[in-house]
Amino acid sequence: MKLKRAALVSCLALLLSWVSNSPTVAVSWQEQMLSSLNTMRADKGLKPVKLCSTLNKSAQDYAREMATQNFYAHEGKDGSTPGERIQIAGYRWQSSNTSAGIAENIAAGQGSVQQVMKDWRNSTGHYKNMTGSKFVHVGFGMAGSAKSTYKKYWVQNFGYGARC
């Protein structure tokens, strides 16, 4: 009995050792996007940006809005601007005591993080936002609707000068 128990414990220890030594991979689309973005920034000698919960909220809410209301524009159907949506979500860049700013990238129709990042990289304005040296915070949104024109909508919100 002791021999069986020792063998079982040894097998369990070996299994746990193997699992803990396995390389980790980005499992969520947000982790994939952040990794891709920060690799792009590192290639230009820039510091990485950090995920910000309020920018994530703003980006996700807007991606969902575009998908469910079937439109694609920086201006919301309610007339809202990226700056207003980001401020309302809690990223207080407009009331910051320091220099502050934001930017927004939107895309529609791409089926994967790899495709949307490639498309943004090949667009001068979007690439400029992704490699803006002042930006320290980022948030991502993605939403889909089978009934919408583009099926999948993507948003990146960038910021500096406010708290996350």
Side-chain angles (χ1 to χ4, degrees):
M1 185 70 157
K2 286 185 179 182
L3 186 57
K4 284 183 180 179
R5 189 178 198 179
L8 182 61
V9 169
S10 294
C11 286
L12 185 58
L14 183 62
L15 179 64
L16 288 174
S17 170
W18 178 77
V19 170
S20 66
N21 289 329
S22 296
T24 57
V25 294
V27 292
S28 74
W29 70 264
Q30 292 101 335
E31 290 170 325
Q32 291 173 9
M33 186 170 280
L34 183 63
S35 176
S36 178
L37 175 61
N38 281 331
T39 297
M40 188 183 306
R41 292 176 62 83
D43 289 347
K44 290 194 56 94
L46 300 169
K47 292 181 180 178
V49 290
K50 294 181 177 127
L51 278 176
C52 173
S53 61
T54 52
L55 291 177
N56 271 341
K57 177 178 176 14
S58 175
Q60 185 59 48
D61 288 351
Y62 195 57
R64 186 178 307 110
E65 183 178 325
M66 287 191 293
T68 59
Q69 295 182 24
N70 194 25
F71 76 100
Y72 174 68
H74 285 285
E75 182 178 315
K77 280 196 167 182
D78 61 358
S80 65
T81 66
E84 291 167 344
R85 291 189 298 273
I86 289 169
Q87 181 81 11
I88 289 167
Y91 192 78
R92 305 284 182 224
W93 72 281
Q94 292 175 330
S95 53
S96 175
N97 292 331
T98 62
S99 174
I102 58 96
E104 178 182 77
N105 285 347
I106 62 173
Q110 296 83 357
S112 68
V113 169
Q114 293 79 12
Q115 187 60 54
V116 74
M117 290 299 288
K118 178 182 175 188
D119 289 354
W120 278 332
R121 184 181 184 110
N122 291 331
S123 165
T124 304
H126 295 107
Y127 183 71
K128 183 179 177 185
N129 289 341
M130 292 189 298
T131 58
S133 61
K134 288 185 177 183
F135 293 124
V136 294
H137 302 128
V138 69
F140 306 130
M142 183 271 292
S145 172
K147 297 177 183 177
S148 67
T149 302
Y150 297 106
K151 309 300 182 223
K152 195 175 272 191
Y153 297 79
W154 305 86
V155 178
Q156 288 182 328
N157 285 158
F158 298 90
Y160 68 91
R163 287 192 198 156
C164 283

